[in-house]
Amino acid sequence: MLTEHRRGESDLVLRGGNWYLYATCDVPEPEQFDPAAFLGVDLGIVNIATTSDGDRHAGRHLNQVRHKNRRLRARLQKKGTKSAKRLLRKLSGREARFAADTNHRITKQLVTEAQRTCRGIALEDLGGIRDRVRLRKPQRVTLHSWSFAQLGGFVPYKATLAGVPVVFVDPRHTSQECSRCHHISRSNRPDQSTFLCTSCGFAEHADANAGRTIAQRGGVVWAVSHAADDAA
Ligand SMILES: [Zn+2]
């Protein structure tokens, strides 16, 4: 990419003991293909991303790192010495890089799978997520974290470079709606990881069911917006 698309000068930067090369690349966007269907992606905490195909990217490792760091940070903040502050900065940089690396890896897999199967990607519209989600405090902290939003931002960016269309869908009740019969009820979720429809009996991992609902809504959003294009 550098040899073919580099624009202007590049900067070699030393940050936190690591060397980075900053270079601007002007890459032509490939033509977006017309998707046959959508790959729905449910973003979460226990599972960072779960697709409508049932592929899960567990967040266990990332959450472990976060919790360990949070405890350590609290201790260092209490200490308040110069060396404690230096260690705090180093820690937050390392955690940010680890989270970003995880998000890049997951995004790449999602986009590759969508491209391979000629599908678009459907995501929940994350804009309203803070207002929508009412959780106990520790989870709320995680949800507000930037890395959650970062994954939602990486997907459209990488998808565009691959010609994969991305749509954002209404996030309301995606976790409570049955992806088979569309019955919506809180009792469809006997526990955090299980979906069991009280109307038709459909059973699936809760995040995979949400992914399927998101995929279906993606198809509707695409059809509606393209019908409008055709009419115009
Ligand atoms: Zn059902």
Side-chain angles (χ1 to χ4, degrees), residues 178 180-183 197 199-202:
C178 174
R180 189 207 267 164
C181 77
H182 307 297
H183 174 63
C197 181
S199 177
C200 78
F202 178 72

